[in-house]
Amino acid sequence: MTDKLNLTEPSHDCPLCPRLAEFRALNRQRIPNGFNGPVPGWGDRNAQVLIVGLAPGLHGSNTTGRPFTGDYAGDLLFGTLLKYGLAEGEYLKRPDDSLQLKNAFIASAVRCVPPENKPLPAEVHTCRPFLENEIKQLPNLKAMLALGTIAHQSAIKAAGGKLPKYKFAHGAVHKLPSGVLLFDSYHCSRYNTNTGLLTTEMFEAVVENIVKHLPAA
């Protein structure tokens, strides 16, 4: 049996999380033209910034196959990245648009869409080796942006840190053992913006702070 810790990328039919695999099979019937698989990381492999999300959205990246593409969270995320020079082109909510990330890379704590957008702790743990691999493949990494508590916790563990030392708070900045800076933000979901937990200005302030902390590329 293959040790999952040695896998660098999950297969399109990854069986490691039975609940997510079952949900994937159901979605392949409901959304037959969708991607419906573990969504790979995407962006600039020479990036200084890694953005860590929670998991694919059902009608977002689970359908399109590109992180944050096709749902509201992508509107706010990519609009902000474009504003602060971490992306270029035009975001049209589809993977064949002209959008490209600059000095940024996106990955998720969990690569398969979970029911009700709520992955189980065991699923986050099982998927973490893939996030660890993404970090290893970013030789110029200087900063990570964690979108929400689960992404915060998974990013810290994937980078070799210990949770009690780093508490999640919107706008917080943590220095990890590797020297990489971890920036926290509430997730840029429609729910968080509709309830006022996160405003565009709040999210832009975090990204602006990241850019200010980056050394010259």
Side-chain angles (χ1 to χ4, degrees), residues 1-215:
M1 179 180 296
T2 302
D3 183 352
K4 66 176 182 292
L5 295 178
N6 291 328
L7 293 175
T8 57
E9 294 287 346
S11 69
H12 196 69
D13 298 310
C14 180
L16 295 177
C17 299
R19 187 181 76 115
L20 301 188
E22 181 179 354
F23 192 51
R24 180 196 310 139
L26 180 61
N27 289 324
R28 287 178 179 177
Q29 298 176 31
R30 293 173 172 173
I31 315 172
N33 296 323
F35 182 76
N36 294 311
V39 177
W42 173 69
D44 180 358
R45 284 289 180 187
N46 293 312
Q48 294 178 319
V49 181
L50 171 62
I51 300 162
V52 182
L54 172 60
L58 180 60
H59 296 293
S61 56
N62 174 72
T63 297
T64 64
R66 191 177 74 179
F68 286 92
T69 299
D71 56 21
Y72 176 81
D75 293 349
L76 179 53
L77 175 63
F78 292 131
T80 303
L81 297 183
L82 285 164
K83 180 175 181 177
Y84 290 97
L86 294 174
E88 61 184 5
E90 186 177 10
Y91 172 57
L92 299 175
K93 299 187 178 184
R94 60 176 194 260
D96 63 346
D97 57 23
S98 62
L99 184 73
Q100 295 291 327
L101 299 187
K102 292 177 56 182
N103 205 22
F105 194 89
I106 302 176
S108 296
V110 175
R111 295 197 177 199
C112 291
V113 59
E116 300 180 351
N117 202 35
K118 295 179 180 179
L120 300 176
E123 293 162 351
V124 178
H125 175 77
T126 297
C127 214
R128 188 167 299 122
F130 302 120
L131 180 57
E132 293 172 355
N133 182 62
E134 296 286 18
I135 291 173
K136 292 175 183 176
Q137 292 189 42
L138 297 172
N140 299 318
L141 184 64
K142 298 294 186 295
M144 293 194 291
L145 168 59
L147 301 178
T149 304
I150 294 176
H152 163 91
Q153 294 173 346
S154 197
I156 289 170
K157 291 181 178 179
K162 297 187 181 299
L163 288 182
K165 187 176 179 180
Y166 310 97
K167 296 188 180 301
F168 176 84
H170 179 82
V173 183
H174 312 277
K175 189 171 184 177
L176 300 178
S178 63
V180 170
L181 295 178
L182 174 67
F183 296 76
D184 288 338
S185 173
Y186 294 127
H187 195 285
C188 47
S189 66
R190 183 185 296 274
Y191 176 83
N192 283 345
T193 57
N194 282 350
T195 59
L197 182 65
L198 180 69
T199 65
T200 297
E201 292 75 17
M202 288 169 63
F203 188 65
E204 288 183 348
V206 174
V207 175
E208 183 178 19
N209 195 27
I210 292 173
V211 172
K212 287 180 178 178
H213 277 81
L214 294 178

